[in-house]
Amino acid sequence: MAKALIQVAVKAQKGNCFRTAGDLLAVGVFSDTLAGSLAETLDDKLNGKISELKRMGDFEGKANTSCLLYGQGGISAKRILLVGLGERKAFKPEVLRKVASQAVSKAVDLRAKSVLLSLHGDVPASAKLDIAAVGQMITEAACFGAYRYDEFVTEKGKRPASVRATLVDADAKKVTLLKKGISAGMISGGAQNYARTIANRPANVVNPVTLASEAKKLAAATPGLRCTVLDKKQLEKKGMGGILAVGQGSATPPRLIVLQYVPAKASKNAKTVGLVGKAVTFDSGGISIKPGEGMHDMKFDKSGGIAVLGAMKAIAKLKPKCKVYGFIPSAENMPGAGSYRPGDIITTFSGKTVEIQNTDAEGRMLLCDAIAYAEKLGCSTIVDIATLTGACVVALGQKRAGVMSNDDTLVEQLKAASAKTGERLWHLPCDDEFVEAMKSKIADLKNIGGKWGGACTAAAFLSQFIKKAKWAHLDMAGVGVWGANESDAPGSIGFGVRLLTEFVCRTK
Ligand code: BES
Ligand code: MN
Ligand code: ZN
């Protein structure tokens, strides 16, 4: 099927970026001052051209702007891309990610095969970032910016098959540290792009069965990663009524994909973390069918599961000390003669019964079985991630995922990981009043609450399937899936891959 996407290579090299050959040299420009930055040196070499651009107002160094220069004598690179860093005093790590990604993306558009980056030199000391972390961020951003999803486009134009980013620094010690960051960044950035591709594939290509084969393929190719798949018969035997109910209207049966990473030298008291991701390969709503507008985007309803798949790929390579399970319950939610119906009462894996009031609230039916199973297999910390509710998008918009939990320390740990990876989170409640809203008169629970607080009632529903484990739920319905992302490639941004990876790697 698929033709290979753009290959990205990142390396670090000792040298002077102005005297290094390349197709494109990216230089950051602050909007408030050139003083002390690489741009100041470049401005001298270009006889004050950058200052002049600023004076004219053509390019002021504002965030999200850039300016391409050609034919500059004395600079070895064929082109120079000035990228706006915004105000120096307002510098945030996200600025660095943004400009590095912007520069590599521009290189792809220009069909420039090699891009030189010396952006790390402009990170203010006040940002408190060590140089290896900066190298990692730039590498992840380079992977992100180079990404285009075109495996089904038969006429690919002249986009390059590969792009190479080189981080240049005159100091050999810094180059060594940058290299350290680059190796970590290639793992996490590579896993993120892998996840984007699987998420971007349409529902006629990725269904529960083909997704399970993909997971098996990944595990076979990744030392330290194991994969088992529960098929329909095994799900029936285990009593996973939630997963089965959602899948029963589709021509393709549901699956529960179980990935496992076991550290080579697992200590006796190594923690076991469970990552659980919703993978509805297409959410039509089922019998409670969705309106037609925008329904095609419901191929992205597998994004939580794919985030877990991508994270497991990275985790197996980064080798943390804890044991990690990845659970990916997958089904296609379709209307049909065999579909589950509003009014049905489903017995879930936990033994709890659920009255279905809306077949479009299907994600929680998959997740409730998978999180209960995770706890049964010994996970003491469980993090689930899902494109679960439109209500979460209404509440938080498209830049933050909601986090709900039964443990405030776990929320803090997730937030700490989020601060490093830039995948933003916002803490929302899921306590008593929301639990109350999910009680049914004819079963233990119902699958929808009232009119208000839909993201919170969904999380409160899930919380009822945890016994003792520390649990957090990430609602990523709004984030980086539906168009409004900051990438030049429409579709998935692979949200959650780096966040889950970072979180797990911080777990002792
Ligand atoms: N997959 C959707 C949630 C969703 C909506 C994700 C929009 C991304 C964008 C989920 O399965 C769903 O349909 N949720 C319903 C729940 C409702 C029936 C209680 C929703 O949000 O409308
Ligand atoms: Mn739905
Ligand atoms: Zn859904």
Side-chain angles (χ1 to χ4, degrees):
M1 170 203 22
K3 299 232 178 80
L5 302 177
I6 300 171
Q7 296 293 308
V8 193
V10 182
K11 57 176 191 171
Q13 187 178 299
K14 185 175 174 311
N16 178 322
C17 66
F18 301 124
R19 275 185 254 122
T20 307
D23 296 324
L24 182 71
L25 166 67
V27 175
V29 179
F30 285 110
S31 60
D32 42 359
T33 175
L34 289 183
S37 69
L38 191 67
E40 187 182 39
T41 317
L42 181 61
D43 195 38
D44 281 347
K45 289 189 185 289
L46 301 178
N47 302 318
K49 178 137 253 152
I50 301 176
S51 302
E52 191 188 333
L53 283 167
K54 281 190 155 207
R55 258 196 313 277
M56 293 194 300
D58 290 23
F59 173 75
E60 297 173 309
K62 288 190 180 146
N64 300 320
T65 64
S66 65
C67 177
L68 197 56
L69 305 175
Y70 290 93
Q72 308 303 331
I75 308 291
S76 305
K78 287 184 196 153
R79 313 167 181 87
I80 300 171
L81 183 72
L82 303 177
V83 283
L85 295 168
E87 285 186 20
R88 192 173 198 278
K89 58 177 187 288
F91 180 89
K92 280 189 271 178
E94 275 321 283
V95 172
L96 184 67
R97 287 191 188 276
K98 201 72 170 281
V99 292
S101 146
Q102 202 183 353
V104 177
S105 178
K106 186 77 183 176
V108 167
D109 289 343
L110 291 168
R111 291 178 229 131
K113 285 194 178 132
S114 67
V115 41
L116 306 170
L117 302 169
S118 280
L119 300 160
H120 60 275
D122 287 328
V123 175
S126 60
K128 295 203 175 76
L129 290 171
D130 66 71
I131 187 98
V134 170
Q136 180 176 349
M137 286 173 62
I138 292 176
T139 303
E140 290 166 348
C143 292
F144 189 85
Y147 185 85
R148 300 291 184 275
Y149 181 67
D150 60 3
E151 64 177 341
F152 289 105
V153 178
T154 57
E155 286 176 35
K156 293 207 198 315
K158 284 185 186 150
R159 68 101 161 130
S162 65
V163 57
R164 190 176 70 248
T166 307
L167 317 190
V168 189
D169 200 291
D171 180 344
K173 274 193 205 128
K174 283 193 179 165
V175 170
T176 308
L177 291 167
L178 284 171
K179 282 184 177 162
K180 204 177 140 209
I182 290 170
S183 11
M186 286 307 290
I187 292 173
S188 45
Q192 183 176 4
N193 279 354
Y194 164 75
R196 292 170 83 182
T197 296
I198 309 289
N200 282 331
R201 286 181 181 158
N204 61 327
V205 175
V206 176
N207 58 46
V209 173
T210 58
L211 182 59
S213 321
E214 178 61 41
K216 286 242 175 197
K217 196 171 109 191
L218 174 68
T222 314
L225 203 58
R226 263 184 279 167
C227 177
T228 51
V229 175
L230 304 191
D231 64 13
K232 193 166 168 245
K233 264 200 188 137
Q234 291 159 307
L235 291 168
E236 279 164 357
K237 215 170 143 197
K238 288 209 154 32
M240 301 219 173
I243 299 174
L244 286 162
V246 177
Q248 74 191 38
S250 168
T252 315
R255 292 285 186 265
L256 175 58
I257 301 160
V258 184
L259 290 155
Q260 199 185 356
Y261 158 77
V262 183
K265 285 172 263 159
S267 69
K268 266 203 192 119
N269 40 17
K271 262 199 191 163
T272 305
V273 179
L275 304 176
V276 181
K278 165 183 174 181
V280 171
T281 56
F282 187 70
D283 183 11
S284 69
I287 297 296
S288 315
I289 198 161
K290 287 181 182 295
E293 198 192 327
M295 204 201 266
H296 56 94
D297 276 343
M298 284 299 149
K299 71 169 183 173
F300 293 118
D301 210 23
K302 57 187 181 299
S303 300
I306 307 297
V308 170
L309 188 68
M312 293 303 289
K313 177 177 160 85
I315 288 163
K317 290 187 186 163
L318 292 168
K319 302 186 172 47
K321 291 211 174 74
C322 57
K323 297 181 199 163
V324 190
Y325 273 110
F327 299 92
I328 307 173
S330 183
E332 188 184 38
N333 190 20
M334 296 291 273
S339 298
Y340 78 137
R341 294 147 289 241
D344 285 3
I345 296 176
I346 308 296
T347 302
T348 64
F349 175 69
S350 67
K352 290 192 187 209
T353 55
V354 181
E355 177 198 352
I356 302 302
Q357 288 194 342
N358 190 319
T359 63
D360 198 11
E362 84 296 341
R364 61 199 77 181
M365 298 306 296
L366 297 178
L367 291 172
C368 72
D369 278 353
I371 62 178
Y373 188 53
E375 187 161 12
K376 183 140 197 194
L377 290 193
C379 299
S380 53
T381 300
I382 297 169
V383 178
D384 79 69
I385 181 163
T387 50
L388 204 64
T389 67
C392 194
V393 197
V394 173
L396 300 180
Q398 294 184 296
K399 309 264 181 211
R400 286 179 178 84
V403 53
M404 297 80 160
S405 177
N406 63 6
D407 187 273
D408 285 346
T409 315
L410 179 55
V411 173
E412 287 315 311
Q413 289 163 339
L414 284 161
K415 279 192 179 169
S418 146
K420 171 146 187 219
T421 69
E423 295 153 288
R424 289 192 281 175
L425 298 177
W426 199 264
H427 193 181
L428 295 171
C430 66
D431 53 356
D432 305 356
E433 66 195 277
F434 300 110
V435 171
E436 203 53 43
M438 300 309 290
K439 287 192 173 147
S440 161
K441 292 207 163 66
I442 58 169
D444 299 331
L445 294 145
K446 53 185 181 181
N447 80 329
I448 57 169
K451 194 172 177 184
W452 309 115
C456 305
T457 50
F461 174 92
L462 295 177
S463 73
Q464 300 308 292
F465 295 86
I466 295 287
K467 286 183 178 144
K468 284 202 303 236
K470 292 180 179 172
W471 158 83
H473 159 65
L474 307 176
D475 193 333
M476 60 165 290
V479 196
V481 180
W482 277 264
N485 66 52
E486 290 158 28
S487 143
D488 291 328
S492 167
I493 61 165
F495 182 92
V497 173
R498 287 181 297 109
L499 176 64
L500 294 173
T501 304
E502 181 68 25
F503 167 75
V504 164
C505 289
R506 284 162 179 249
T507 304
K508 294 274 146 28

